[in-house]
Amino acid sequence: MATQGSRSILFTNTLPQQGFRLLELTPELEELLSLEDAPTLQLKSPSAALARAVIDPSALEYVNLCTPTRTYRIRQVQSSNSLHILQPSLGQISKEDIKVVEDTDTDGENIQSLTTLVDGTVTTIAKCGSTLELHTPPEGFSAVPFLEKSLAFYDRRIGDEDVDVDVDMVHADESMDGFNTSAPVDGRTLRDQVFADIPVSAEQCEVAWMGLCAFVDERQGICFRPSARMRLTLWKRLVEGATLQGIDLNKQFLVRDLWKSVLDDDDDMNGDGNGNVASPFPRALFEAVVRRLCVVDERPALSAEVKWASFDKVECASWVGETYLAATAPTSTSAVSRSEFIHAWKDCLPESWGEEASLSKLPPGSFQNSDPTTLYYVDPSQRQQTGKAAGSAPAAATKVKSARNWHELLKNPKSR
């Protein structure tokens, strides 16, 4: 225990105080920052237009902290105990800089005391009444809703001259400017520009991009997301070409050979005469679908060329069934019969994959039944809402049942 003879430390306060915010690090983030080659972290938030299009307008102002692979929501936590950030004097404070706020009877003695304590002075340079903590919601973070609002919609019927393009209002000005681009632009630069406005880590952005089969049309300078009908049409041509050329999609194959098998004689005749073959759809779209269907462990990064590929028939068949349902029965009013759907699904698959066409192979929650014999597609965003509602229902029922049990126990105590 300190005595009156112990040395004292002069505690001072600077005016004005500096603006500091304290951020609490998770163990994973602390370990990441301790590495010799620690990555650069990003503070990301969507533009006002993109935020309004995706989330609740009442929650527009937020910032996420993003590592290359993970995303954290930053939220402010108030504290009843203020935290002071201290700084030692290091001989930079003189007694003339210190204002004594208490009156004393012996001024000379106090001045002598201050002179001896200046070198041991501790100064509070900031006062923090709140801290910032990192939060990850149970459902995690996804870039899909932001990409769906940021990318132009690509839809085209094979044989048509024009492409139906629906440029979303969020980036309408930037995207429409790209239509008049005379020289090709760098696709990676365009993609990075889209990712910069999405408050999710780069890896999560890439995963969502691949899942949507998004691609960049470098000639037009536009980032697209293809419609379900477009993805299904391309898949059918892909299977037809692979069958004719004897390409086994379940084994490793050259993507270049598969692309050639997709082109038919009419496509060759519609070329420009200089060896450039006209195709029924952009090569970038074809590669986006192939990349999406690649075995996960063999899937190349977005920055890498797709040279070799092989498809996992289970994963691929599930994707084809979901895509077919999204293209033909997107709402309850367009529901199709189960038997018709299964039959059409099998026709879209290679002959040896027919047994994979089963409702149990579709992603959970991807369809709903209008009646016992028909079904329709459910958008992924609606699946989350349905799952939350279903998850809360049993809890509510348990609560009611528990209350009812207590009521019955207390109703007639004499019976016990």
Side-chain angles (χ1 to χ4, degrees):
M1 182 175 180
T3 64
Q4 293 181 353
S6 300
R7 181 182 178 184
S8 301
I9 298 176
L10 184 63
F11 184 80
T12 62
N13 181 67
T14 60
L15 289 176
Q17 294 274 282
Q18 300 182 32
F20 275 87
R21 303 301 298 271
L22 299 180
L23 176 65
E24 182 180 351
L25 300 180
T26 64
E28 298 82 6
L29 192 56
E30 181 183 4
E31 182 180 355
L32 182 65
L33 294 176
S34 301
L35 299 175
E36 293 184 2
D37 55 344
T40 301
L41 305 185
Q42 293 180 300
L43 293 175
K44 302 178 70 176
S45 61
S47 64
L50 184 57
R52 282 193 298 268
V54 174
I55 65 176
D56 185 357
S58 63
L60 295 181
E61 297 181 0
Y62 69 91
V63 176
N64 288 348
L65 177 68
C66 300
T67 71
T69 60
R70 298 190 63 176
T71 304
Y72 301 91
R73 176 66 48 82
I74 298 179
R75 60 185 184 184
Q76 180 173 283
V77 179
Q78 299 293 336
S79 175
S80 58
N81 298 322
S82 297
L83 298 175
H84 293 268
I85 298 180
L86 305 180
Q87 176 177 294
S89 66
L90 300 178
Q92 299 175 358
I93 300 178
S94 64
K95 63 176 181 288
E96 289 80 10
D97 297 327
I98 301 176
K99 180 180 179 181
V100 179
V101 296
E102 292 186 359
D103 295 332
T104 61
D105 295 334
T106 55
D107 295 338
E109 184 178 346
N110 272 335
I111 292 175
Q112 180 66 28
S113 177
L114 290 176
T115 302
T116 59
L117 292 174
V118 163
D119 291 339
T121 300
V122 174
T123 302
T124 171
I125 61 175
K127 176 183 177 181
C128 302
S130 64
T131 59
L132 301 177
E133 71 174 13
L134 302 178
H135 170 66
T136 301
E139 64 274 13
F141 296 93
S142 174
V144 172
F146 297 96
L147 286 177
E148 289 179 339
K149 293 297 182 180
S150 301
L151 305 178
F153 189 72
Y154 185 93
D155 193 22
R156 175 184 177 182
R157 292 179 175 84
I158 300 300
D160 290 352
E161 294 295 333
D162 298 326
V163 178
D164 299 328
V165 178
D166 176 18
V167 181
D168 197 276
M169 65 177 181
V170 175
H171 293 297
D173 295 336
E174 296 88 341
S175 297
M176 291 305 294
D177 289 342
F179 268 107
N180 300 321
T181 302
S182 56
V185 295
D186 180 40
R188 183 173 183 177
T189 300
L190 285 176
R191 187 174 62 244
D192 289 344
Q193 290 175 356
V194 173
F195 289 175
D197 201 27
I198 297 178
V200 175
S201 71
E203 181 177 284
Q204 291 167 312
C205 286
E206 289 195 6
V207 170
W209 178 281
M210 292 182 190
L212 292 174
C213 298
F215 67 99
V216 179
D217 189 322
E218 295 185 354
R219 180 179 58 84
Q220 299 186 61
I222 302 179
C223 297
F224 285 107
R225 60 180 178 92
S227 67
R229 184 182 65 176
M230 191 70 244
R231 299 195 304 270
L232 182 64
T233 301
L234 190 153
W235 168 258
K236 289 180 178 179
R237 289 287 295 262
L238 187 152
V239 172
E240 179 183 351
T243 301
L244 292 175
Q245 297 299 323
I247 299 175
D248 188 349
L249 299 177
N250 204 31
K251 298 180 180 179
Q252 196 173 61
F253 57 86
L254 269 173
V255 175
R256 181 181 64 250
D257 293 343
L258 184 61
W259 170 249
K260 291 180 180 179
S261 72
V262 169
L263 305 176
D264 54 28
D265 295 337
D266 293 336
D267 297 328
D268 293 334
M269 295 176 61
N270 291 331
D272 60 6
N274 296 320
N276 297 320
V277 179
S279 60
F281 30 74
R283 174 72 179 264
L285 172 58
F286 165 81
E287 292 183 351
V289 172
V290 171
R291 193 190 306 271
R292 166 63 181 84
L293 298 177
C294 277
V295 176
V296 176
D297 295 339
E298 302 175 2
R299 183 177 296 163
L302 286 177
S303 57
E305 181 184 357
V306 186
K307 294 183 177 181
W308 294 88
S310 61
F311 297 162
D312 182 337
K313 71 174 183 178
V314 176
E315 170 69 18
C316 187
S318 176
W319 179 86
V320 173
E322 185 180 9
T323 302
Y324 182 89
L325 195 60
T328 58
T331 63
S332 58
T333 57
S334 58
V336 296
S337 69
R338 291 191 177 195
S339 58
E340 178 185 347
F341 167 65
I342 295 295
H343 180 73
W345 184 5
K346 286 184 178 181
D347 288 344
C348 293
L349 299 175
E351 186 175 355
S352 60
W353 295 10
E355 72 279 1
E356 299 298 329
S358 170
L359 293 181
S360 62
K361 301 297 180 65
L362 291 176
S366 60
F367 67 92
Q368 286 285 348
N369 299 107
S370 297
D371 55 59
T373 61
T374 61
L375 71 164
Y376 62 93
Y377 177 71
V378 177
D379 189 80
S381 61
Q382 299 299 321
R383 299 175 202 175
Q384 295 179 359
Q385 297 177 8
T386 303
K388 290 180 181 179
S392 61
T398 302
K399 184 176 180 180
V400 172
K401 182 179 180 181
S402 178
R404 186 176 301 163
N405 289 340
W406 278 108
H407 176 71
E408 292 174 354
L409 289 173
L410 297 176
K411 184 177 181 181
N412 188 11
K414 293 182 180 181
S415 62
R416 296 183 62 185

